[in-house]
Amino acid sequence: MMDIHRCFRCGYCKFPDDFSKYNCPPYARFRFESFSPGGRLWLTRAFLNGEVDFSKHLSEIIFSCTACKNCAENCRMGFKDEIVDWIVSARREILERGLAPPFVRDFLENIRKYGNPWGLPRKQRADWLRAKKYDGDDYLLFLGCECSYEDRGRSMAKNFVEILERAGVSFGILGENECCDGNEVFMLGELGLFQELAERNKKTMSELGVQKVIAISPHAYNAIKSYEGFEVFHYSQILRDLIQSGKIKPGELRKTVTYHDPCFLGRYNGIYEEPREVLNSVPGLRLVEMERNRKNSFCCGGGSGNFVFDLLRGSYSPARERVREAAETGAEIIAVACPACKAMLDDAAKDEGLKDRVAVMDLSEIILRCGIS
Amino acid sequence: MDIYKALVDIVGEEFVSRNEEELYIYSRDSGLTEREKPDFVVMPGSAEEVQKIVLLANKYKIPLIPVGASLTLSGLAVPIRKGIVVDLRRMDRIIEVNRLGRYAVIEPGVTQGKLKAFLERNYPDLCHSMPDAPPSATVVGNILIHGQGNLSQLYGFNSTMVTGLEIVLPTGKICRIGSCSLSPYWFAVEPLPYLAGIFLGWFGTTGIITKLGLRLYPRKRLRDIEVFVLDDPEKVADVVYRITHTEMAEDVITMEQPYPMMFRDVVLVQIYFNGDSEEEIEFKRKMLWNSVMNYIRSRDGGFMFLTPDVQEDFLEKPASSVTRFADVMKGGGFVYCGAIIPVEKFAEALRKLKEIAKRHEITYGHVGRIVGRGHCMMFSFSFPFNRADRASMERAKEALHESYLATLELGGIPWKPELFAQKMILERMDKNAAELMKQIRGLLDPNGIMNPGNWEVEP
Ligand SMILES: Cc1cc2nc3c(=O)[nH]c(=O)nc-3n(C[C@H](O)[C@H](O)[C@H](O)COP(=O)(O)OP(=O)(O)OC[C@H]3O[C@@H](n4cnc5c(N)ncnc54)[C@H](O)[C@@H]3O)c2cc1C
Ligand code: SF4
Ligand code: SF4
């Protein structure tokens, strides 16, 4: 954070690369300059210098950043790759000073105690999913918290498991032994807890001899990649491979579909084409792009724990704006590849009264819907 | 009177703030301005809401500070006497584009970036004159300070491209100016009495613009650049004269700066030109080369070979290299005196810039833009500073102030002048003209609520 004063507050970071719309979710939501990336950096610096006192509002400014990385993509300065690190460091400082706002404290405490942000019992993690425990299989399927506890995430997991089984892929899950991947914990600045979680997952996976991991959630994908020592795949890559190798053959689906790029898959890990290849492999499916796509994608607003505490909620929420943007393409389906995006966009479609016009479906659900052989 | 509650009643709770954080951010800008905090920040969503805010402020004599992106780097949208900051960026609709009439009608929050993207997507054969300010700057903010863009060499200051205005006057009346005052079309402010002049260049002291009609121009499919390099600044004015004589150039930019080393002690004249076909481009290129052939023959200048990377950098629109100047000292800021000077004063201005930089032991940069066919130019005296080093900020401030003085000595006028320079201008201005400015303001804004402190003529 030594260099945080280098931000000029010029605002390039607010936009996608064509400057068409505001692309920083909290700024697009609240529109006060304080919620822009530059405003957030200036206020962080002012807080660290003692020019601005800590307050509930400041915590909302700092924690409403979804860590979507649009700013890092579009800032024109040499330090651009450090912007999100600065925000994470600011959060760490807040936590270290014992100033964590209640919504962050609860989130972290629940993970510390129960291994998930909702504080739900560990045994509920996978007791609903009929999938075998990992036992030296080719792949470990890592569910992540959203796919373990949240309804929409669970349906993603069920669908993907069905496809894997039908394609004859050798895989298993960790069940109760799976622990939060820690991606959001890291982004919220609790680096100690992140390391604990990472160590725990690493130990469990190493002891079982896991070498290849499939993550459904891009957040989990991102975290497990940083664990090192495992070959990690996102489920969209596996789906694409299964289709390309002819192990599954999608049936026809005469629908117009648009694809929403998740930040932790796209901007963080450069996976833009595999999910599109999956969709394009479906006969009859017409893939249309939203104005903001790939590295310019507009975050659903769920990152950095916001899929739980949702500081960006309301009629101007990024998720609602994103659903409107999707509807403008004429798409009947918004395809997603992340459980957080799925829940955020699904709720938003309901709130916007667009549920009948655009269905939010994940890649596996679409593949199953068109029928596979 | 509970002003906060009254503002909430007008725009809704979500769009009013009296939180320290917003007050802090709106009390400073990306330049060196740091002032007292405002009392409130409010974000209206319509002209009617602006009107209600103005009526409220008028009733209780509270200063109002209209804000676009606050990117002038001279604190023109930062409150001087506290009051209510009116951030207009929620009003960001592009209301109309008249393709055949080549104009657009926009709200004040429309950013340069948004208008560019919208036209490129929907009207690819139209464009507006785009400054090299960050794309987050508003079109209206730029017009209101007499900005210059990439079409200014062809058509003059961006403020001459106004085709109509809707303004909430300081007393709360909504007023339309130009053809839109009596016709559904926004094609021109002429042939009526030229009321637009009461609002352009006044820094929001005469009313809040809620709609702007703006001229658009043909956008050619191809754009190219040639960079002419000279080591004698004395020859720049003549080079510019020759180039502009061809009427082949779109934009003409001058540049001189010590970094990177390859640019040290030479002046670059960047000549942008465009065409709908390769043939048109090549024809223009030839004309431009021929215009300065005498300098090439005498070896006083020559065209630079541009690698594709460098060329791409030069062709970026807006040129982010101008913004990146803020990072040359890894310090997050720069300030500049944009001197509007006769082109013939280029060499003298450059000499002064270097002297000032040397005296203040500070690095410098210069970027200039020709306005009209050499009718004048914007010559920037730019100084980067380090936001984490107060001494460097002080040095930049002193250098800036000296540059304002130098500009006036050159017979030029500081553009978008900060308070200090506004005073210098008013002191030197024809007394009757200054008095006229005061009278106009008094007439429009009897309670003195609009961006007070700016353009204030001492009694
Ligand atoms: C890196 C950099 C490069 C730049 N390059 C250029 C350039 O190439 N050309 C150029 O012309 N400028 C340039 N600028 C200067 C400036 O940023 C731009 O002119 C910019 O367009 C100003 O717009 P803004 O939205 O920031 O205006 P603001 O600073 O917000 O407003 C300007 C003035 O207008 C008033 N105002 C704003 N909106 C309204 C309204 N609706 N009604 C009434 N008053 C209002 C404000 O109170 C203020 O006094 C540059 C700036 C930077 C930082
Ligand atoms: S983060 Fe970069 S792009 Fe954003 S305001 Fe700061 S300097 Fe500008
Ligand atoms: S990471 Fe995303 S939400 Fe956070 S400041 Fe950057 S653009 Fe905004």
Side-chain angles (χ1 to χ4, degrees), chain B residues 291-400:
Chain B
S291 70
V292 287
M293 200 47 92
N294 60 323
Y295 286 106
I296 298 174
R297 291 215 180 93
S298 64
R299 294 176 189 270
D300 284 320
F303 283 100
M304 199 170 141
F305 170 74
L306 303 177
T307 60
D309 282 4
V310 174
Q311 190 182 35
E312 196 182 318
D313 221 34
F314 276 130
L315 286 171
E316 189 191 12
K317 203 169 134 193
S320 66
S321 53
V322 185
T323 297
R324 285 203 304 275
F325 188 63
D327 203 37
V328 293
M329 284 178 70
K330 299 198 180 340
F334 79 95
V335 277
Y336 70 110
C337 160
I340 308 297
I341 56 168
V343 184
E344 66 187 59
K345 291 287 184 182
F346 178 88
E348 209 179 324
L350 191 61
R351 225 172 9 252
K352 281 186 187 278
L353 166 60
K354 290 182 174 183
E355 280 164 18
I356 293 169
K358 197 165 170 199
R359 211 167 17 255
H360 294 279
E361 295 175 2
I362 191 170
T363 188
Y364 69 91
H366 156 73
V367 173
R369 175 167 262 139
I370 305 303
V371 180
R373 301 292 202 286
H375 295 119
C376 60
M377 73 178 296
M378 191 287 295
F379 180 105
S380 84
F381 294 71
S382 307
F383 307 103
F385 59 82
N386 185 340
R387 217 171 277 287
D389 171 8
R390 280 272 150 196
S392 98
M393 293 169 85
E394 272 312 310
R395 280 201 300 278
K397 188 176 243 162
E398 283 163 15
L400 178 72

Side-chain angles (χ1 to χ4, degrees), chain B residues 71-72 74 76 139-148 157 159 199-204 336 340 415-417:
Chain B
L71 277 169
T72 60
S74 6
L76 300 180
V139 177
V140 167
N142 178 259
I143 296 284
L144 290 182
I145 60 165
H146 293 306
Q148 320 88 41
F157 286 96
S159 46
F199 304 96
L200 306 175
W202 288 77
F203 309 154
Y336 70 110
I340 308 297
W415 162 58
K416 62 173 182 62

